[in-house]
Amino acid sequence: MSAATHEIIRCAHVTVRYGERLALDDVTTAIPCGVATAILGPNGAGKSTFLRALLGWHALAPGGEIRIGDAHAHHQLPRLAYLPQRHAIDWDFPITVRAVVAQGRYPSLRPWQCLRAADHAAIDRAMGELGITELGDRQIRMLSGGQQQRVFLARALAQGADIFLLDEPFAGLDLYATEELTHILRAWVAQGRTVLAAVHDLALARAHFSHALLLNTRLVAAGPVAKVLTEEHINAAFRGGRCLHDNPLRGVSTTHFPA
Amino acid sequence: MTAHDLFIEPFTFEFMRRGLLSALLLSLSGGLLGCILVLRRLALMGDALSHSLLPGVAIAYALFGPTLPALFGGALLAGLLTAVGSALLSRLTRVKEDAAFGSLFIILFALGVAVVSTLRSRIDLMHFLFGNILGVSSADLRLAALTSATTLVVFVVFYRPILLETFDPVFLRATGGRGGLVHVGILCLTVLNLIAALQAMGIVLSLGLFLLPAVTAYLWCDRLGRMLALSVALALAGSVLGILGSYHLGLASGASIVLSLGVFFLFSAAFSPRYGFGVLILQKLRAGKAVLHDTR
């Protein structure tokens, strides 16, 4: 994998509040371009909030700033693709695989405009790349978990984005589908795309991501995965005075994933 | 009884033609809107909302008489009061949103009943609650036409934002869409349609014209476009059947329409080839499994 050349997302003093509660506290960090970065941290650490802040979903407290490339994040929305959590989707919704992928083209259309030939081509390409061309007419419930995941990855591709924000993409996937997804993400990074994923599993992050961002409302550490996931940092993020049982690393060392 | 007696003769009367036209116009918009309410899981909220409109309509009626702008304004205010009030209550107190909504709408409904009971006019409580298709005036028809046209135009122009807001609101927001605006727009359209249906269907029954065709179509279709089309078709068919039924059998018109639609729904729930319980039970019995254990 190529060495990170420059930073594509820069966050300075990013603070997000839900009412009284701090969800993100003064996070200053940068995400390198063209690599896979895992966002890690305990429940409520602000992983999802961080992703949605990048999309401009949350109002930042004064003094905070997010820049994508050289521009303000708001002007760069077309470069960002967001993959929702699985449980956020109603799988009984009357919609076909192709119609979901086509949604990736909606942002570039005016309200009354139909899909153009170029849009159909982009949809075909995205479905082809993720191997779901044959499933186009299926309702989305009639797919395996891995296939469902790929439909939404294809929608992100069809958007024409180069930065992919994935919220817990591995949640609820079986071992086979997990492996498949890591292959897809590796291929994307090899093509120069930037992947940013909220991940729950430390071992998974260690095995498949080159960079990591460890959060516990505040930023604990960021950088190459081996330097971030040290015992000291993990203790700081996961214990933080709230959880006194075993070292989370011990559980990690007994888990094996296929390479 | 000949076909002429059954289908043509009822509509030789002016009031029957008006009633039919009004129901058909509202079927067009209600069929579309119902699908979105069902898919957004707002069916119960829509029902509560419709009840809470009563005091707004009744007070507007008491103050200004049966003028449409006043009725619409009153209903909109009452609807907004319920929606905003329950949102505030759930945020500022320990009460959760559904309980807040349920409490507010029943208070407003009772207030409405109280106001109506003090009105000294020919229009009584039954009329507000259950409608009277015989009383559809040309002003009511105009409102129904306006409502129907507005709803259709909104659905054609904003089909994609409405679809996205219903299917994946986070994606809509993440791609720069105005999700909140779409949501408020749908609620306003709902209130508008409920007002327009007030005369023909009444406050309690009008939502049946919107929801029943939509859930029925939901049992048959795997594409949103087809679901919308089928829902509108069912609403139209139910309106015609219901009005004929009310004429020949002397039933209340609103109830008759809702009952016709109810027959469609119950039939579909049983016999829909993919999502009905009939097929499911048959499969389980053949496989020798327990029926209610796991439905997927």
Side-chain angles (χ1 to χ4, degrees):
Chain A
M1 216 167 285
S2 64
T5 47
H6 65 288
E7 285 148 355
I8 197 162
I9 300 173
R10 285 191 209 89
C11 304
H13 307 294
V14 170
T15 300
V16 175
R17 274 172 221 281
Y18 294 125
E20 293 289 293
R21 203 174 68 78
L22 268 178
L24 281 178
D25 185 5
D26 195 24
V27 173
T28 299
T29 187
I31 308 292
C33 183
V35 303
T37 303
I39 304 174
L40 297 153
N43 291 328
K47 300 191 290 287
S48 299
T49 307
F50 182 72
L51 287 178
R52 287 194 301 236
L54 296 182
L55 292 162
W57 180 283
H58 299 295
L60 304 184
E65 192 190 34
I66 295 174
R67 294 182 82 83
I68 296 183
D70 291 323
H72 190 266
H74 186 71
H75 304 296
Q76 295 288 316
L77 278 182
R79 293 186 64 186
L80 299 171
Y82 176 79
L83 192 86
Q85 293 190 21
R86 276 180 56 79
H87 65 75
I89 297 299
D90 171 13
W91 297 102
D92 283 327
F93 199 93
I95 197 165
T96 60
V97 167
R98 196 182 165 84
V100 174
V101 179
Q103 289 171 358
R105 302 306 307 158
Y106 287 3
S108 65
L109 295 173
R110 306 218 149 267
W112 51 87
Q113 211 173 10
C114 290
L115 289 169
R116 298 150 296 190
D119 295 318
H120 284 294
I123 296 163
D124 288 335
R125 248 195 334 272
M127 290 175 67
E129 183 170 337
L130 287 160
I132 50 171
T133 307
E134 312 294 313
L135 307 174
D137 283 334
R138 293 240 195 128
Q139 196 271 335
I140 52 175
R141 164 78 70 190
M142 302 169 199
L143 302 169
S144 70
Q147 288 169 335
Q148 289 175 338
Q149 187 74 273
R150 279 189 276 153
V151 172
F152 283 85
L153 293 171
R155 180 177 75 175
L157 269 193
Q159 263 179 273
D162 63 345
I163 305 168
F164 296 86
L165 311 179
L166 317 178
D167 201 350
E168 301 274 357
F170 295 100
L173 290 189
D174 60 29
L175 207 60
Y176 176 74
T178 302
E179 201 187 343
E180 201 178 68
L181 179 57
T182 59
H183 275 290
I184 292 167
L185 296 185
R186 266 170 206 266
W188 283 9
V189 169
Q191 292 168 39
R193 292 163 176 156
T194 303
V195 172
L196 198 55
V199 179
H200 226 88
D201 189 324
L202 296 179
L204 201 72
R206 219 184 271 280
H208 300 294
F209 288 79
S210 61
H211 287 66
L213 189 74
L214 194 56
L215 288 174
N216 186 3
T217 317
R218 291 170 161 274
L219 180 71
V220 177
V225 84
K227 289 190 183 147
V228 171
L229 293 184
T230 60
E231 191 166 343
E232 183 195 347
H233 288 151
I234 291 172
N235 276 339
F238 282 83
R239 287 210 183 149
R242 52 158 102 197
C243 151
L244 293 171
H245 61 72
D246 279 350
N247 179 355
L249 272 179
R250 196 180 301 164
V252 166
S253 60
T254 62
T255 314
H256 295 288
F257 279 88
Chain B
M1 192 179 269
T2 64
H4 181 273
D5 290 341
L6 258 180
F7 298 113
I8 310 293
E9 194 244 317
F11 299 114
T12 55
F13 299 99
E14 169 83 17
F15 64 85
M16 286 299 289
R17 283 203 297 275
R18 278 194 178 162
L20 180 72
L21 191 57
S22 142
L24 291 181
L25 283 169
L26 291 166
S27 299
L28 286 176
S29 52
L32 296 177
L33 202 59
C35 289
I36 300 303
L37 292 181
V38 166
L39 290 173
R40 290 176 70 82
R41 305 190 187 181
L42 292 177
L44 276 176
M45 202 217 68
D47 189 39
L49 193 64
S50 70
H51 281 74
S52 70
L53 302 186
L54 184 61
V57 175
I59 291 172
Y61 186 87
L63 293 180
F64 304 104
T67 54
L68 288 170
L71 290 182
F72 178 65
L76 200 62
L77 269 181
L80 283 178
L81 192 67
T82 319
V84 175
S86 57
L88 280 180
L89 269 182
S90 64
R91 201 159 296 179
L92 299 178
T93 70
R94 189 187 191 185
V95 179
K96 302 288 181 285
E97 176 121 32
D98 60 328
F101 211 101
S103 314
L104 264 189
F105 101 75
I106 203 73
I107 295 172
L108 280 171
F109 186 58
L111 181 67
V113 173
V115 171
V116 172
S117 66
T118 65
L119 287 181
R120 289 203 208 95
S121 78
R122 289 176 293 114
I123 300 202
D124 62 359
L125 187 60
M126 290 294 279
H127 186 107
F128 274 110
L129 294 187
F130 305 115
N132 179 6
I133 217 147
L134 303 183
V136 173
S137 68
S138 46
D140 291 325
L141 262 187
R142 270 202 300 279
L143 179 66
L146 188 73
T147 302
S148 192
T150 311
T151 311
L152 285 175
V153 168
V154 168
F155 265 80
V156 169
V157 176
F158 299 107
Y159 178 75
R160 284 193 286 257
I162 292 174
L163 164 62
L164 282 186
E165 170 66 11
T166 308
F167 178 64
D168 187 355
V170 181
F171 179 77
L172 179 65
R173 291 274 297 268
T175 51
R178 311 275 299 271
L181 209 63
V182 176
H183 183 68
V184 171
I186 289 169
L187 287 187
C188 283
L189 274 185
T190 309
V191 172
L192 183 64
N193 276 276
L194 286 170
I195 311 291
L198 179 67
Q199 179 62 42
M201 304 284 293
I203 261 172
V204 179
L205 289 176
S206 51
L207 207 70
L209 179 60
F210 307 166
L211 291 183
L212 284 172
V215 278
T216 310
Y218 184 58
L219 286 167
W220 294 92
C221 301
D222 271 340
R223 281 152 208 244
L224 184 60
R226 290 181 192 172
M227 178 176 164
L228 291 169
L230 180 60
S231 170
V232 169
L234 285 168
L236 292 170
S239 297
V240 174
L241 275 180
I243 286 179
L244 286 174
S246 87
Y247 178 84
H248 290 297
L249 306 175
L251 305 173
S253 54
S256 175
I257 290 174
V258 170
L259 283 176
S260 319
L261 293 167
V263 171
F264 295 161
F265 169 61
L266 292 177
F267 175 84
S268 305
F271 298 112
S272 161
R274 236 175 291 171
Y275 305 115
F277 62 76
V279 179
L280 184 83
I281 291 174
L282 215 64
Q283 278 172 356
K284 297 268 170 167
L285 286 182
R286 271 199 202 130
K289 284 191 208 150
V291 170
L292 284 177
H293 181 244
D294 180 13
T295 53
R296 287 266 169 215

